[in-house]
Amino acid sequence: MEVKSRHHLRSDEVDTITTALSENLGVELDADSFEKVEFDDSDWDVVLVDGDPLVLYLNGEPFLTVQGANQHPPQKHIVTVDAGAVSFVSDGADIMRPGITEADDDVSEGDLVVINEESHGKFLAVGRAQTDGDDMVGDSGKVVKSLHHVGDDLFEFSV
């Protein structure tokens, strides 16, 4: 991913990010610098928080990257998968009901969610819920569309 430009965010833009992360994920980001990065060869809109790619915009909505979720663990909008789903989720597969062990009840269809693995508590992906959280555990069907995962270009990006 080739960096096209970098610029520091205004305080109102930082407030929008920190408020959204606090309300949606229960995460308090306290940082000295927020820089937006634009790429030549990617549609990702990424924010470097103290130099690390911790926030991305998905359809204009600020949310944590996988790295951001692992550095600042969310308290809400979490979908947990079993060990059998880890390799699929890590390869960018959408999340299916049989692999889910737990999903927050506060998740509504269309919400952004973080995918957590139950064994070690690591975050593996970010996705968009295709159904409500209380309908995610079950026997069949895709319930979260994967948007960003460990090993993708954004996860591998470093400044």
Side-chain angles (χ1 to χ4, degrees):
M1 294 177 22
E2 295 293 320
V3 174
K4 178 178 174 180
S5 68
R6 284 173 63 167
H7 63 276
H8 288 278
L9 296 179
R10 297 184 322 262
S11 62
D12 61 326
E13 294 171 307
V14 171
D15 289 345
T16 298
I17 290 170
T18 56
T19 299
L21 295 179
S22 176
E23 289 175 359
N24 295 330
L25 298 170
V27 169
E28 301 299 326
L29 268 188
D30 185 23
D32 294 326
S33 72
F34 290 77
E35 287 181 90
K36 186 171 185 180
V37 177
E38 296 178 13
F39 300 100
D40 278 329
D41 52 352
S42 174
D43 291 334
W44 295 113
D45 286 329
V46 177
V47 176
L48 303 178
V49 180
D50 288 340
D52 293 324
L54 303 186
V55 176
L56 73 153
Y57 282 92
L58 295 163
N59 293 339
E61 187 178 350
F63 204 76
L64 291 175
T65 62
V66 171
Q67 182 178 350
N70 281 308
Q71 284 189 24
H72 302 276
Q75 306 303 307
K76 302 188 290 188
H77 285 223
I78 301 168
V79 176
T80 304
V81 297
D82 61 22
V86 169
S87 64
F88 297 104
V89 173
S90 297
D91 284 339
D94 292 332
I95 293 71
M96 309 297 281
R97 273 191 184 98
I100 296 175
T101 60
E102 186 179 356
D104 286 350
D105 289 340
D106 70 341
V107 172
S108 296
E109 181 177 347
D111 285 349
L112 290 170
V113 296
V114 287
I115 309 305
N116 183 268
E117 58 87 22
E118 68 178 350
S119 300
H120 301 98
K122 297 291 182 190
F123 292 93
L124 304 173
V126 171
R128 181 132 351 241
Q130 305 296 296
T131 187
D132 294 342
D134 60 4
D135 185 40
M136 287 191 179
V137 177
D139 296 328
S140 66
K142 176 172 65 172
V143 292
V144 178
K145 176 163 181 46
S146 182
L147 302 172
H148 159 52
H149 60 89
V150 295
D152 68 12
D153 288 344
L154 176 56
F155 185 80
E156 298 297 329
F157 172 72
S158 62
V159 182

